[in-house]
Structures are given as C-alpha cells and as structure tokens.
Amino acid sequence: MPVQTRTVSAMCGVALTIGSQRRAMSGALDDIKVIEYAEMVSGPICGKMFSDLGAEVIKIEAPGAGDPARQYPPFPDDQPHPEKSGMFLYLNTGKKSLTLDPATPAGGEVFKRLISKADFLIENHPAGFLERIGLPYPALHALNPRLIVVSITPFGQTGPYRDWKGSDLIEWAMSLTGYNTPTLIDDGERENPLRAPGHIADMMGGTNAAAAAMMALFQRELTGDGQWIDAPCWQATVNTSKIEMAAYSYLGIPFSRMRGQTLVGLEPMACRDGYVYTLWAADSHYQALKKLLGNPDGLDTELFDTLAGRQQNDDVLRLVIREELKKHDMKYLVDEGQKLGLTIGPVYKVSQAANHPHLAARDAFVAIEHPVAGRFLFPRQMVSMTATPAIPSRAPMLGEHNKEILDRLAIPREDQHGLHAAGVI
Amino acid sequence: MAPLPLEGIRVADFSWIINGPQIAQWLATMGAEVIKIESQVYIDIGRINPAGMADGKPGPNRNGFYHMLNYGKKAINLNLGTPKGYDLACDLIRKSDLVIECFPRPVSERLNLTYARIKAVKPDIVMISVSLLGKTGTEPSSWVGWGPMACCFAGMFDAQGYPGGPPRQTGGTWPDYAIASAVVFHTLAALRHRKRTGEGQWIDASMGETVISQMNEWFMDYFMNHRDRGQWGNRDAMMAPHNTYKCKGEDRWIAIAVSNDAEWNALCAVALHPEWARDARFVDRAARLNHREEIDALLRDWTRSHDHRELAATLQRVGVPAGPVLDSVELHEDSHLWKWGYWMKMAHHEVGERIIPGMPVKMSNVPELNYSMPPDVGQHNREIFGGLLGLSDAEIQTLMEQKVIY
C-alpha cells in the first residue's frame, strides 16, 4: 500500500529540514540540556519528549553495541541492523549519541563533566545501580546542585519490590488494567492475560517521569535547587484503573475479568466488512443503537429499555446485536451512529489508521530521512501544540557525536584516542 | 518547606470524567490552584457513576470515582448555558493561566469554549483541549467517545488478542491516563514558553495520537514494511519464555519474562528441571525464541500447582523477572504499594475512611503533595465568586436563585 508522505511545514508555517539534525525554529525547551543514560523504552521516551521540543539530549550508549533497542524490531525488510530499528529510531529522535561507560573511572570522570553542565539526567538503570558505580544521587547533587535526576525503574527506589526485576509484560500484568486485557473473557483457564501491543507500561512510566521532571524545573525556578525524581512503571500502570479501585474501595466489589461483570458492549464486534466497537450503557445510547440498526424485531421489547433490563438479559441482547451488526458496513455504522450520538468507533487495522485522512489532516505522521536506514514516516506527536509543536528529527548513529561532545568538554584529542583504545568510549 | 512546584499558577478547569480531571489533578497536587467549574445541568459522571457510590448510597459527594480523580482541587458551580454564567466564566479565565476542557468538539462550540473564543478573552492563555481524536482535521474531530475508542481507531484492538483470533479490547481506560501525563509535560513547556515570550497557545490533544505513539513499533513496522503486524499475544521479539502462566486457584496467573541465559538457568533450577537448561532447544536466546511454544507448554505444566505470589517471589529471589497477576484485594493490600507510598487513607466527612491512590511519582523536594479533600458540589462558590471575582453575598445569592451559580 502506498504511504502518503507529508511534511510538518503546513502546521508550523516554517520550512523544516527534517533530514538534517538542524532545526529551523526554536522549541519551547531549546535552552535545556539533558543527559540520557538510559536504554530500551522507559528512559528514552522521556528523553524524546524533551528533544522533540528542542532540548539538547545527549544519549549515553554502551561502547560496542549501544542501546539494546538498536537490536529490536521492526527493521526494513526484517534485516536486523543497529542503525535501522524502527523502535530505536522512533524513541531517539533528535538526540546526540555519545558512547561512554560511566562505570569505568575514566568514563565516570567524563560523565561528571557532562552532568555538571546539564539540567537533567534521565536514567533507567536498576535501583541502586548509580550508587554501585560511584555516582549516587548526593554526589551528583554536590557536583551540580541544579541538576534534576529522573530515575525510571520498574517498581521504584524504595519498598519491598525495589530490587525485583521488571519488564513491560510484568509491570502491565501486575495491574488491573493488564489483568483486564483482553477484556471480557469466557474461559478463565485458557484465556491468559495479555500484554498490550507495544511497551505501554514502560511508555507510561517514562511519560509520568517527563511530567514530574517539568514540575521539578518549575520548582527550581522558585528554589534554585535540583532534586531526585522516582518514577516507577508499575505504579504508572496501576494508576490507570481508578474505576476498578473505586468499585473495590467504596463498594467492596472486586474486579473480575469474566464476561457477565461488564454488560454493556465493550468488545470489538464483527460487522459486514470488519469490526466496530460500541457500548450501550446509557439509555440514550441504547436507543440510538436500536435506531441505527433499523429497529430490528429482536430489539422490539421493553425488556432492554432500562440498564437493569439490559444487564439481566445481556446474553440474549448481545446475540441480537451481534447478528444485526453483521448486516451493515463499518462506515455506515460509525458515521450514522456518531450522528445519532452513539459512542461507536471503527476497529481499524494499523494500515487503515496510518492512511486515514483525519490523521493526515492533523499531520500526525512525518517523513524523516536517516543516512543509513532511509526515509520513512514516523508518528509525529504525542500531543499537539500550536506555537511550539513537537518537531522530531532523525535519531543519531551510534557514537555519532563523540568527537563533538568531547571537544566541547575540552578533552584533548590524544586523551580521546586513549579513552577509545581503552573501550571507555 | 520548599514551595510546591506550581505555586502561583491558576487553572480554570471545565473538564470532567477522566482525562481532563487527571490532568488537573497532576497540576493541583503539585500546587496549582485548580478551580473546577461544574454544573448541575451536566453533573460530572464521576459524581454519579453507580460503580463508585460509597456503600451503594447515592450522593454527589460520596463517589470514589470522583474522589480519586479530583482531590487537591476547588469546585464551583456555573451554568454556562446562561449569558451571565458565561460572563463569569470569562472573568475567571481572565484571572487564570490555564484553561482545560475535554468536551467533544460540537459541545465545546455550543458552550463557546473554543480556543478562538477563549483567546479573545485572554490572549496569552494556554488552553488544553483533550478529545478522542483531536479538534482539528476531518469528520472524526466531532466524534464522541472515550479512552478505548481511541485504541480501536488507532489500530490497537486489531493488534490485541491471541494470534490468529479476533480483535480484542485492551483493558480499561488507560489512554485517558497516558494522555494526562503527556499533556502535563507539554503544558508546562507551553507555560515556560509563555514566560519567555509572552505567547500563549492551544494544546489540542488527541487520545488517538497518544495511543499511536505508545504502539509505535506497530506503526513503524507498517511504515517500513507496508504490512499489518497483527496480534503478537504475549510474544516478545527478544525474550522467551515471555508469557503469563496459569497458577493454582481460580483465574490466577504469573507473568514471566526471561531475557538471558542466567535467568533461564535460574528458572530451571527453581522448577527442579535442570535438564531444561541443558536441552539443545533452549540452550541460548535464539534457540529459546525458536522453541517458545515448547517452553510455554513446559512452564504451564509446572506453574499450575503453585501459588502465583509465592512463585513470583521465589523466582525474583534468584533473579528471574516474574510478577503475580494481582486481584483487587491483593492490589489494595500490596505491601510494596503501601510502603512506597502509593496508597493513602483518606478520612472523608461523608464516606469515612477509604483507600485512595496517590500520585504515581515521588519527588525529593516535594515531601508532601497537595492532597486536600476532593471538593463537595459547589464547596468553593463563596471563596471564588466572592473572594476572587469580588461578588457580594447578595449577588451570589441572587445568581444562585437565577440558576446561574447552579
């Protein structure tokens, strides 16, 4: 399927050179300096949010292989290559790459010089790791009292699970939102809880960290002091189930993922040419759905006219609605249903979403050229802004900015060669 | 004690239900003065949702769903459908730094809460609009919907499910919470930009675009290879075993994610199956990825006689990433969430002591966030209309009778 290519210039009103790493307009954070000593997803998405708004983000990667995300698919034509991972290229837009091992004495010294001039250090190593390599928070604070250290971990810096190993699957599955995926199961023996497509727990942990980091920047304006942020991915995921928490804490009703608990739709349902998603909790929604389906005989009963009636007769009602939906096209159901005030949406494939004119009209995707990987569309924005929009530019090649950054730190060339020979950079 | 991060920032908050209130809660707990504008004409669903009514007794101040999303704020009543009500809203906006609204586009237009109108009232305002798919663009900008509908539009439900099966729903309303912290980050950047340049702006946040960002691997696969990646279930590109496995008891599960040989060998030792570690099919990561179904079958047979929490703790003790799938009781009693400081006990004047969630981050210079009690309906009418907007008690009384402050 052809992929439509657009530029962000229409939105910004300024010509942009996305392929280069130069930006033609200033971002909201273009005076901010960030050191990102992080890998995979949770730390890098936090750093990306800064770099997309104009901050200088220096990404510290392990000498040799670099960020493990470089090994992570997708790759063009499924051919693994450290400069071509779609996930890495997405998560690291606009950053500079410095290969450095801060755990070595010489590397630690370079690291200290970097953070002495930085506003933020973003890291996602296991709790206690910085301390073990001789860079505990108090030492970092002494070195640069204005530094804001953002630590992203699976479970947090304190508490009984502090040293537990996590992963996106685990941080997701341990929350009620994860337990509830997929929603509405019939068989509690065979339908095991599933991870969502992607690294949602890691992304939410990193996004919460970014929000807290900006809070710390505002507080620094008031106090002059930096601080340490503890942003765990599990708590981020747990926090997404407040409806279920309220039901338990206020009514004593424990969550169950079995069908029969939630009775008002809430599942993709087949129509003639795909699937739609809707719910019929409110009376007005049920009446709209009935009208949308042409007042079919199966719904011609007062039994379903109240929420209680719909819940008590859920098995019958659901069967009728399933059969009726199959008689209609997705486009009719969604367009007409929305006009009737029904919350109904299309269950699109990724290819359908990627080519949807609405997303094109919002410049939701942007083409970015990379010297090794090539030119591809990327999701452009997490959140759109009119005056200082996110402007992602290409991700760095491994160690691409070593010389530039070490020169700037006034490390003599011969010392740079020595660090390189010793495997520190 | 250090001032809270957002001290001195005022927010006129027209939002309701989940995503807007969660944004406002980030701001309120961090020290902003959040004034939530509510109306008896359209009462916040959070106040009336049956699934949150304390002990099943109705009452707009008794709802846990509302409490958990609205502590730290002030609440006033204002009927925006009346000219005087709209004027008072504009007075409040003139005294505010931020405006939040999360109505569907046609409703924002009907209530005159569009960016164009608000900007005319206060030119340097930073305005946050949160909606299903954004308020510009084509027809879907007028759709009504909630978090899960952003997932269905963005391709997530099609990619959710058991490989080869039908599309399934991803749990709950997580997009509302995911977009909330993303919006907070961008909003503070916008406020900072305003401080430097005097220029305000509009944050037109689309839950659909946040979901796309979160499942970027699927979109990048499409853009790079022109295909729909489809459902991966619990499969991971780099880890095997990587799945949830049935444990002892009804609907009990454990999640296990092994990324290297050391973790695999430790798991085999705990399972009392050292021969798995020597098996050529599982000897290194590549081999395990190629035989993930066989591993899953072996692990399923092993885990089903074990308690999910005990087994996870045992595996973690030897360095194997594992976690129990927790039910409501286990989650609310979880010692880590209590000791880390996520759960709090709130003593509320109408519903008594309840467990509620705190914010999911901690900051070393913010020992105590603003966790003031979730407001009763209209609790701050006198403080805001009298104190901030300068109306007399008599004027307030009249406006109440005229159902303007209503």
Side-chain angles (χ1 to χ4, degrees):
Chain A
M1 199 178 298
V3 179
Q4 195 179 1
T5 300
R6 297 180 65 91
T7 69
V8 296
S9 57
M11 177 86 181
C12 308
V14 179
L16 296 167
T17 320
I18 296 289
S20 78
Q21 284 208 304
R22 197 173 55 78
R23 62 189 69 243
M25 68 184 291
S26 62
L29 302 177
D30 60 6
D31 58 334
I32 295 293
K33 298 203 179 320
V34 179
I35 307 300
E36 176 188 304
Y37 180 31
E39 55 189 37
M40 283 301 288
V41 176
S42 64
I45 184 63
C46 182
K48 171 187 166 66
M49 290 168 75
F50 279 90
S51 70
D52 284 356
L53 292 190
E56 180 188 70
V57 179
I58 296 176
K59 181 180 177 73
I60 294 177
E61 299 196 66
D67 185 340
R70 290 182 179 276
Q71 318 300 324
Y72 213 92
F75 297 100
D77 303 322
D78 297 321
Q79 298 299 308
H81 185 291
E83 302 298 351
K84 296 185 181 179
S85 156
M87 187 177 91
F88 177 88
L89 294 175
Y90 175 79
L91 290 170
N92 294 285
T93 46
K95 299 176 190 173
K96 294 179 173 173
S97 169
L98 169 68
T99 54
L100 182 72
D101 182 2
T104 61
E109 288 310 307
V110 176
F111 183 80
K112 285 177 186 169
R113 282 163 86 161
L114 279 170
I115 63 158
S116 67
K117 295 182 170 70
D119 297 289
F120 292 94
L121 168 65
I122 297 170
E123 64 96 14
N124 67 353
H125 295 281
F129 175 83
L130 288 184
E131 204 166 348
R132 286 197 292 280
I133 65 167
L135 299 164
Y137 173 71
L140 300 175
H141 184 254
L143 205 63
N144 178 357
R146 290 174 61 79
L147 182 72
I148 296 160
V149 177
V150 183
S151 290
I152 308 164
T153 51
F155 298 100
Q157 300 292 328
T158 60
Y161 305 161
R162 173 189 188 262
D163 297 322
W164 274 28
K165 287 187 183 174
S167 83
D168 183 77
L169 169 72
I170 290 166
E171 296 139 24
W172 175 259
M174 286 176 70
S175 73
L176 294 180
T177 301
Y179 200 178
N180 195 20
T181 304
T183 307
L184 289 185
I185 61 152
D186 293 305
D187 184 342
E189 281 288 311
R190 288 191 301 118
E191 288 178 276
N192 57 322
L194 292 182
R195 181 191 194 182
H199 289 76
I200 308 299
D202 287 340
M203 293 288 282
M204 286 195 293
T207 309
N208 282 357
M214 287 297 288
M215 296 289 179
L217 191 65
F218 270 64
Q219 199 180 30
R220 195 180 74 176
E221 294 288 306
L222 303 174
T223 65
D225 200 16
Q227 61 184 302
W228 189 16
I229 289 165
D230 176 7
C233 297
W234 181 42
Q235 281 85 325
T237 317
V238 168
N239 200 49
T240 65
S241 58
K242 289 187 180 177
I243 293 176
E244 293 81 1
M245 288 175 194
Y248 178 70
S249 178
Y250 279 60
L251 274 164
I253 300 172
F255 160 77
S256 167
R257 68 194 188 112
M258 302 298 290
R259 185 187 298 285
Q261 295 289 315
T262 313
L263 298 159
V264 287
L266 293 169
E267 62 180 333
M269 292 183 149
C271 58
R272 191 149 57 194
D273 54 347
Y275 289 82
V276 293
Y277 176 83
T278 186
L279 79 165
W280 47 82
D283 291 343
S284 61
H285 288 173
Y286 172 70
Q287 294 303 334
L289 180 62
K290 202 169 152 182
K291 197 167 168 191
L292 178 67
L293 297 174
N295 297 306
D297 293 344
L299 298 180
D300 187 20
T301 162
E302 288 170 10
L303 269 183
F304 304 142
D305 280 351
T306 63
L307 177 60
R310 291 193 289 281
Q311 291 184 331
Q312 277 153 23
N313 302 287
D314 178 66
D315 44 352
V316 183
L317 175 59
R318 199 173 282 270
L319 281 180
V320 176
I321 291 175
R322 274 186 186 151
E323 285 312 307
E324 293 298 327
L325 285 170
K326 283 180 196 158
K327 298 174 184 168
H328 302 280
D329 289 341
M330 178 195 278
K331 189 167 166 38
Y332 163 79
L333 290 169
V334 173
D335 289 353
E336 297 308 312
Q338 282 286 342
K339 278 182 200 148
L340 291 167
L342 179 65
T343 52
I344 184 167
V347 178
Y348 283 144
K349 294 177 184 303
V350 164
S351 55
Q352 290 172 302
N355 289 289
H356 198 285
H358 176 68
L359 292 173
R362 285 178 58 82
D363 284 315
F365 305 109
V366 60
I368 301 178
E369 175 107 28
H370 186 280
V372 179
R375 179 185 172 88
F376 299 105
L377 285 180
F378 285 70
R380 185 169 73 94
Q381 59 197 3
M382 222 176 202
V383 163
S384 85
M385 303 171 81
T386 52
T388 56
I391 304 173
S393 56
R394 76 163 171 85
M397 293 178 282
L398 182 61
E400 182 179 348
H401 303 87
N402 283 0
K403 197 161 78 62
E404 173 192 328
I405 293 160
L406 296 177
D407 281 353
R408 201 200 303 168
L409 294 176
I411 294 173
R413 284 287 164 82
E414 55 270 29
D415 291 1
Q416 294 185 24
H417 294 313
L419 289 169
H420 189 74
V424 173
I425 61 171
Chain B
M1 202 162 69
L4 286 170
L6 301 185
E7 217 151 274
I9 290 169
R10 184 176 293 129
V11 185
D13 173 18
F14 296 88
S15 73
W16 65 339
I17 314 181
I18 302 180
N19 54 29
Q22 179 71 26
I23 292 166
Q25 187 172 67
W26 272 96
L27 304 171
T29 55
M30 294 284 176
E33 182 187 26
V34 173
I35 301 165
K36 185 176 168 89
I37 297 111
E38 300 182 84
S39 172
Q40 311 278 47
V41 181
Y42 288 104
I43 200 163
D44 190 333
I45 288 166
R47 289 196 183 273
I48 52 177
N49 171 31
M53 278 175 201
D55 310 318
K57 292 180 200 148
N61 303 324
R62 302 179 53 82
N63 210 297
F65 185 37
Y66 183 91
H67 288 178
M68 291 177 184
L69 283 155
N70 291 286
Y71 49 68
K73 305 175 191 174
K74 297 174 179 174
I76 61 171
N77 288 340
L78 199 55
N79 182 353
L80 296 173
T82 62
K84 180 66 182 164
Y86 187 72
D87 285 350
L88 285 168
C90 291
D91 288 345
L92 188 58
I93 288 164
R94 280 186 203 99
K95 290 177 181 287
S96 299
D97 302 283
L98 287 170
V99 167
I100 308 177
E101 64 89 20
C102 64
F103 299 109
R105 185 168 59 81
V107 178
S108 314
E109 285 169 0
R110 197 174 70 233
L111 294 173
N112 287 318
L113 290 176
T114 60
Y115 178 58
R117 293 293 296 257
I118 303 293
K119 192 184 173 188
V121 172
K122 188 162 194 289
D124 71 344
I125 198 80
V126 173
M127 175 159 165
I128 302 167
S129 293
V130 191
S131 58
L132 184 64
L133 296 163
K135 285 191 163 124
T136 63
T138 63
E139 182 56 25
S141 65
S142 66
W143 288 1
V144 289
W146 57 317
M149 258 180 61
C151 299
C152 78
F153 186 93
M156 181 168 272
F157 288 177
D158 187 67
Q160 181 74 68
Y162 304 98
R168 300 291 292 263
Q169 178 180 341
T170 313
T173 54
W174 65 269
D176 289 270
Y177 299 89
I179 199 170
S181 47
V183 164
V184 167
F185 173 86
H186 290 84
T187 298
L188 297 186
L191 278 178
R192 198 168 175 277
H193 176 75
R194 190 186 70 166
K195 202 186 285 180
R196 294 201 296 169
T197 65
E199 182 184 30
Q201 61 182 304
W202 186 31
I203 292 170
D204 172 23
S206 151
M207 283 201 284
E209 284 160 24
T210 300
V211 172
I212 287 169
S213 156
Q214 308 247 337
M215 57 182 296
N216 62 78
E217 295 152 67
W218 266 251
F219 277 85
M220 292 311 299
D221 204 349
Y222 173 68
F223 291 137
M224 288 179 153
N225 297 308
H226 310 307
R227 68 181 171 208
D228 280 298
R229 177 184 269 199
Q231 298 145 332
W232 274 29
N234 279 329
R235 226 172 78 204
D236 187 86
M238 303 299 269
M239 288 183 261
H242 184 275
N243 212 336
T244 54
Y245 304 91
K246 185 77 181 60
C247 287
K248 195 168 67 184
E250 193 182 320
D251 205 19
R252 299 292 182 185
W253 305 84
I254 185 171
I256 299 174
V258 168
S259 61
N260 59 41
D261 294 345
E263 290 168 2
W264 171 243
N265 292 340
L267 181 147
C268 296
V270 168
L272 304 177
H273 282 289
E275 77 282 6
W276 293 351
R278 296 189 298 268
D279 193 315
R281 291 173 301 167
F282 315 137
V283 74
D284 59 22
R285 185 163 77 175
R288 288 191 294 275
L289 285 169
N290 282 332
H291 298 97
R292 49 163 71 93
E293 278 84 15
E294 287 116 294
I295 295 185
D296 280 350
L298 291 173
L299 292 201
R300 267 197 296 270
D301 284 343
W302 164 57
T303 58
R304 60 185 313 114
S305 59
H306 290 271
D307 177 85
H308 58 303
R309 285 199 288 179
E310 283 170 18
L311 185 57
T314 304
L315 285 168
Q316 285 282 358
R317 269 196 294 277
V318 296
V320 178
V325 175
L326 301 169
D327 68 16
S328 297
V329 181
E330 293 163 340
L331 194 74
H332 283 79
E333 290 176 355
D334 186 84
S335 65
H336 182 82
L337 292 177
W338 280 104
K339 286 189 175 141
W340 184 84
Y342 178 69
W343 293 125
M344 307 187 292
K345 281 187 177 150
M346 178 185 72
H348 186 272
H349 68 100
E350 278 201 37
V351 305
E353 188 173 88
R354 302 284 165 167
I355 296 173
I356 60 166
M359 295 305 282
V361 295
K362 293 212 294 189
M363 298 170 66
S364 62
N365 282 1
V366 191
E368 232 174 290
L369 295 168
N370 170 22
Y371 284 131
S372 68
M373 213 53 76
D376 290 350
V377 173
Q379 185 180 333
H380 300 89
N381 281 344
R382 261 170 220 290
E383 176 185 331
I384 300 303
F385 292 115
L388 185 67
L389 300 185
L391 301 186
S392 68
D393 282 357
E395 284 172 306
I396 292 173
Q397 190 57 41
T398 309
L399 289 169
M400 283 177 160
E401 283 159 14
Q402 293 171 342
K403 293 198 170 178
V404 172
I405 297 178
Y406 175 73

PDB file of all heavy atoms in Angstrom, chain B residues 75 224 322:
ATOM      1  N   ALA B  75     -13.989  23.425  43.828  1.00  0.00           N
ATOM      2  CA  ALA B  75     -15.122  23.226  42.915  1.00  0.00           C
ATOM      3  C   ALA B  75     -16.150  24.336  43.058  1.00  0.00           C
ATOM      4  O   ALA B  75     -16.520  24.704  44.169  1.00  0.00           O
ATOM      5  CB  ALA B  75     -15.790  21.876  43.190  1.00  0.00           C
ATOM      6  N   MET B 224       7.769   0.828   7.546  1.00  0.00           N
ATOM      7  CA  MET B 224       8.980   0.252   6.986  1.00  0.00           C
ATOM      8  C   MET B 224       8.688  -0.905   6.032  1.00  0.00           C
ATOM      9  O   MET B 224       9.401  -1.100   5.058  1.00  0.00           O
ATOM     10  CB  MET B 224       9.893  -0.249   8.117  1.00  0.00           C
ATOM     11  CG  MET B 224      10.545   0.892   8.894  1.00  0.00           C
ATOM     12  SD  MET B 224      11.591   0.275  10.239  1.00  0.00           S
ATOM     13  CE  MET B 224      12.771   1.655  10.343  1.00  0.00           C
ATOM     14  N   ALA B 322       9.719 -11.882  37.230  1.00  0.00           N
ATOM     15  CA  ALA B 322       8.405 -12.522  37.312  1.00  0.00           C
ATOM     16  C   ALA B 322       7.516 -11.651  38.167  1.00  0.00           C
ATOM     17  O   ALA B 322       8.009 -10.922  39.031  1.00  0.00           O
ATOM     18  CB  ALA B 322       8.526 -13.911  37.938  1.00  0.00           C
TER      19      ALA B 322
END
